[in-house]
Amino acid sequence: MKQVIAFWHFFAKNTVTEISYGSIPVKKHNLQPSGETMSDIITVTGPRGAAAVVPFLRPESVAIIGFSSRPGSAGQNAYKNFLLNDFAGDIHLVGRSGGDIDGRTILTEIDELPEGVDLAIFTLPAAGATDAMRQCASRKVKAVVIFSSGFAEIGNRDAQDELARIAREGGVALLGPNCLGYTNLTNGVHAGFVAASKVPRTPDSDDPKTAIISASGGLMGHIRMGLEQRDIPAGYTISTGNEAGIGMSDFVEFFATDDLTSMIIVYVEQVHEPQNFIAAARKAIANGKPVVMMHPGRTGSARQAVSSHTGALAGDHAVMKTLVEHAGILFVDNIDELVDTAEVLARFPKPNPHGPGLVTFSGALCAIYHDFCDEIGIDLPPLSPDNEKRMREALPSFATPRNPLDLTTQPVWQPDLMDLGTDALLADPGIGSCVVSISMGNPINGVKYLRHTLDAAERYPDKPLVFGTLGADMPWADDFKALAREKRVI
């Protein structure tokens, strides 16, 4: 809940601030690791930008290179993922053993492919990727995704650079290597090799749809499941791996104008091209699509872990954080913050610039909130005179109505005070959101507190309300959970 307050407030303040990238004294902070230049870090390869993303997410023809008919093999799983998800385009299979499957001939050479296939999926070991890339370039394949590891993440940067060079010179958009794949849940395109499954289509509704772009395939899955638990469907999940070709900035640029995407989440282990990434993120934010970013590397051991994961050369974390925050990107430090922040932004994409109001039953919590908000630079706006008078008349004589608002223990006997107290804060023109943090007491009272709080919140649909309960392990009553889910309480 604390993270929600902090990042909502940050978003409200920073999306109205324009600070140019060039105004930040990057060189003074050693953005590149010692001994490296930007040209050492960045290898620009092949087609770039939003157009290069299209054949990955919306292919009309697919080739699986390194296909094996052995059940459970990477090639078999990749093939079945297109079948199970009703891919309507052409599917070509290339494997050394030849033969046929499901009435499709398995070609033995890439040179036998028709020219101009949209997407080739390599289910090959690293040793075979270079020759396969060269042949795909000669057949004018538009895009290639490489799952295999064994490149920069283990120090084999020369092999990765050679792949990148061939792709660049051949006009091939390259995703990977060392990537888990991706899914377009809006169209049912699933390019993955771990298992074969039919993916759930994102509901065709006005619900927010999130694009998740992650250097880590495993973390990508954790984020998606965390959001789904909050009823926030993912429209796309992308694993970028080592980013030898297209990367974060290209996907962000694509989603910035994608009608099916309302928010973009990125997990980055290296910002390869800060200017392009920030420009793409600003475009998304200008189009009303918040960008939430997580990037490890605050410590030396974290930077070492990043290097061994995707071969990233992590630079100065503080400088990177400054750059992205000044662009209006929301920077989070952990997965809990990421999911909490994403939920608020999914429900309320247009921020209110005013600080939060807080409702509680505890004077001690009021003091704790003051400390917390002071430490992170959040202003707690005072109650307006009218709302202060209104609450003074409703509360016991010993209570002092202000923000944070302590309702004392009176709601135990008068649950409708939750409506009045929440209303006083949300109605106040100087307050932009409201956080309720209370002890539930018995299950019956908990449902009453929530219902009265929701009565107030529904009168102010443009102001976020966060309902938090004290006692992390205290179980919620079934009616409480049902009501909260029905009303989509944060």
Side-chain angles (χ1 to χ4, degrees), residues 12-70:
K13 292 199 300 183
N14 285 272
T15 49
V16 296
T17 303
E18 281 296 329
I19 300 176
S20 68
Y21 174 86
S23 68
I24 302 170
V26 177
K27 292 182 180 178
K28 294 181 181 179
H29 295 276
N30 184 27
L31 180 62
Q32 298 91 260
S34 176
E36 300 285 351
T37 66
M38 192 57 73
S39 61
D40 292 322
I41 297 173
I42 300 170
T43 303
V44 178
T45 172
R48 301 301 304 274
V53 172
V54 174
F56 291 101
L57 297 183
R58 297 171 186 164
E60 295 182 1
S61 55
V62 173
I64 298 171
I65 313 296
F67 178 78
S68 166
S69 56
R70 179 173 55 84

Side-chain angles (χ1 to χ4, degrees), residues 359-374:
V359 179
T360 183
F361 296 173
S362 167
L365 277 180
C366 294
I368 292 169
Y369 284 137
H370 272 297
D371 280 344
F372 173 75
C373 291
D374 285 346

Side-chain angles (χ1 to χ4, degrees), residues 213-233:
I213 316 165
S214 175
S216 163
L219 190 63
M220 173 186 73
H222 289 309
I223 295 169
R224 178 184 63 80
M225 289 185 286
L227 293 176
E228 286 179 353
Q229 289 297 312
R230 311 284 184 96
D231 292 326
I232 301 171

Side-chain angles (χ1 to χ4, degrees), residues 284-460:
I285 294 165
N287 289 340
K289 303 180 185 196
V291 180
V292 184
M293 174 178 172
M294 181 178 170
H295 176 36
R298 295 191 302 276
T299 65
S301 54
R303 287 190 290 273
Q304 185 177 4
V306 161
S307 177
S308 63
H309 183 214
T310 58
L313 297 171
D316 190 312
H317 188 274
V319 172
M320 179 277 308
K321 185 169 186 264
T322 300
L323 292 175
V324 300
E325 287 187 341
H326 277 247
I329 298 168
L330 285 175
F331 193 89
V332 299
D333 287 326
N334 57 59
I335 298 175
D336 286 339
E337 288 184 4
L338 189 155
V339 175
D340 285 346
T341 303
E343 183 177 11
V344 174
L345 295 176
R347 308 279 185 240
F348 300 93
K350 295 181 180 178
N352 187 304
H354 299 295
L358 298 152
V359 179
T360 183
F361 296 173
S362 167
L365 277 180
C366 294
I368 292 169
Y369 284 137
H370 272 297
D371 280 344
F372 173 75
C373 291
D374 285 346
E375 287 171 4
I376 61 175
I378 287 184
D379 298 324
L380 292 176
L383 277 175
S384 67
D386 287 346
N387 280 314
E388 185 178 331
K389 179 176 181 293
R390 179 182 173 196
M391 292 310 302
R392 191 178 300 280
E393 292 171 353
L395 291 174
S397 58
F398 55 83
T400 305
R402 57 192 171 195
N403 182 24
L405 180 61
D406 176 15
L407 298 179
T408 72
T409 57
Q410 193 64 24
V412 174
W413 300 278
Q414 192 182 345
D416 62 328
L417 270 180
M418 292 301 301
D419 184 335
L420 185 63
T422 305
D423 187 278
L425 293 176
L426 291 175
D428 201 302
I431 292 175
S433 57
C434 181
V435 175
V436 176
S437 179
I438 60 171
S439 298
M440 293 287 285
N442 65 60
I444 295 174
N445 275 0
V447 174
K448 289 180 181 177
Y449 297 149
L450 178 59
R451 194 175 298 282
H452 284 298
T453 301
L454 291 173
D455 287 344
E458 288 176 354
R459 294 192 284 273
Y460 308 94

Side-chain angles (χ1 to χ4, degrees), residues 94-130:
V94 181
R96 288 182 301 179
S97 59
D100 62 81
I101 184 171
D102 300 329
R104 288 184 172 85
T105 300
I106 302 171
L107 308 176
T108 56
E109 299 291 340
I110 295 174
D111 289 344
E112 298 178 61
L113 286 173
E115 283 196 349
V117 170
D118 281 340
L119 173 65
I121 297 174
F122 285 13
T123 57
L124 297 161
T130 302

Side-chain angles (χ1 to χ4, degrees), residues 63 65 110 120-124 128-129 132-133 136 144-148 163:
I65 313 296
I110 295 174
I121 297 174
F122 285 13
T123 57
L124 297 161
M133 177 64 78
C136 281
V144 167
V145 56
I146 301 179
F147 300 138
S148 56
L163 267 179

Side-chain angles (χ1 to χ4, degrees), residues 43-57 119 133 142-146 160 163-164 167-168 171-177 179 182 213-215 238-255 270 272-273 276:
T43 303
V44 178
T45 172
R48 301 301 304 274
V53 172
V54 174
F56 291 101
L57 297 183
L119 173 65
M133 177 64 78
K142 295 175 186 175
V144 167
V145 56
I146 301 179
Q160 182 167 303
L163 267 179
R168 177 176 66 250
V172 180
L174 166 62
L175 177 61
C179 108
Y182 58 86
I213 316 165
S214 175
I238 315 292
S239 165
T240 59
N242 292 5
E243 297 189 36
I246 68 170
M248 293 286 169
S249 59
D250 305 288
F251 283 105
V252 172
E253 183 181 338
F254 175 87
F255 294 127
Q270 178 192 3
H272 291 271
E273 301 164 318
N276 292 347

